[in-house]
Amino acid sequence: MFKQLQVEHSLFHIDQDHIDLFKTLAAKWQTVFPDVYAKCLNTLDSWASVLNSWVFFKSQHTDELILNPSKAIYYSINTFLIDELKKIQIIRKIRECDNDDLQYFVAFQLGNAIDLWIYNTVEKSAESDLLELPEEKPYFLAYLEDDFQTDNASFHRDQTRAIKVLVQAIRTQNCFRIAVNNAVNRAIDMYEYHVIK
């Protein structure tokens, strides 16, 4: 499924070389990470989430990889979570290292962990109906739709409803930080087992 990823799936300014490198890593480690565990998003969008996590790590080492401002405005959940990730010490350490394989391992585990955390957080809230939205609608390509930029587009309403739940959870609990730390530690353990052994 990762082979279907395109430049358009990224929230960052990337080019085809970045997509190709990501696909090379995904193919290289496919026996370790055969597929994503999509809960909130469809499978391709869950792979796009892993891609965006990986580009987020890579962005520490180049000024070229910046968040696309036009997408950042509309993908408020992702922008908010990226800002929250930057505050977590273990994430800062992973961003500082320049190791494609390790960053892929962490991006994969992080993408899955954040998806599961969002699902569990929203499921327990008054906004749980958001999880019943049709899965076939592409999340990371929604900005390409004609009605995407209208103020009353359902995409924006749903983003606003979901982000309120997530902000409240992060501000009042430690569950996001725990999920992130667990994902990174799991990824490091897997990397040490499969790469360093």
Side-chain angles (χ1 to χ4, degrees):
M1 185 63 81
F2 64 84
K3 293 175 184 174
Q4 297 176 32
L5 289 171
Q6 308 164 27
V7 169
E8 291 78 14
H9 283 101
S10 176
L11 298 177
F12 294 81
H13 286 293
I14 64 169
D15 56 33
Q16 190 59 43
D17 289 343
H18 296 108
I19 288 286
D20 293 343
L21 177 55
F22 178 82
K23 288 179 181 180
T24 300
L25 289 166
K28 177 181 180 180
W29 297 113
Q30 194 166 15
T31 56
V32 178
F33 303 109
D35 211 351
V36 292
Y37 308 109
K39 289 290 274 183
C40 291
L41 303 169
N42 65 42
T43 305
L44 183 57
D45 279 324
S46 292
W47 273 109
S49 182
V50 174
L51 167 69
N52 280 295
S53 295
W54 181 75
V55 175
F56 165 70
F57 291 131
K58 300 295 295 171
S59 69
Q60 180 76 14
H61 301 284
T62 174
D63 294 335
E64 296 171 6
L65 295 176
I66 60 169
L67 201 58
N68 183 331
S70 61
K71 288 184 183 178
I73 292 169
Y74 297 111
Y75 290 90
S76 55
I77 290 174
N78 303 81
T79 307
F80 168 71
L81 292 177
I82 286 171
D83 288 341
E84 290 301 312
L85 285 172
K86 289 176 181 177
K87 298 174 185 175
I88 300 175
Q89 182 177 3
I90 198 165
I91 293 295
R92 290 195 301 263
K93 288 183 178 183
I94 296 297
R95 288 186 80 200
E96 288 169 6
C97 80
D98 194 8
N99 180 324
D100 287 335
D101 290 319
L102 175 61
Q103 288 178 332
Y104 178 80
F105 274 59
V106 175
F108 190 92
Q109 292 292 2
L110 190 62
N112 282 323
I114 290 175
D115 180 67
L116 182 60
W117 176 79
I118 291 172
Y119 183 87
N120 290 336
T121 304
V122 173
E123 183 183 43
K124 296 173 193 167
S125 75
E127 307 295 342
S128 60
D129 63 295
L130 289 169
L131 300 173
E132 299 165 9
L133 297 175
E135 282 187 23
E136 64 277 355
K137 190 173 184 179
Y139 175 77
F140 284 103
L141 299 181
Y143 74 98
L144 298 173
E145 294 179 12
D146 290 338
D147 67 340
F148 179 73
Q149 295 189 14
T150 60
D151 288 339
N152 56 355
S154 61
F155 184 89
H156 302 300
R157 287 194 310 271
D158 293 341
Q159 286 268 308
T160 302
R161 290 174 58 207
I163 200 167
K164 287 178 183 175
V165 173
L166 301 179
V167 168
Q168 177 70 13
I170 287 176
R171 298 293 182 249
T172 61
Q173 305 165 29
N174 205 18
C175 52
F176 180 72
R177 189 174 296 267
I178 290 169
V180 168
N181 282 317
N182 288 343
V184 174
N185 288 325
R186 193 166 44 251
I188 291 170
D189 288 345
M190 292 179 78
Y191 176 80
E192 289 174 351
Y193 178 78
H194 290 283
V195 181
I196 297 176
K197 43 180 172 175

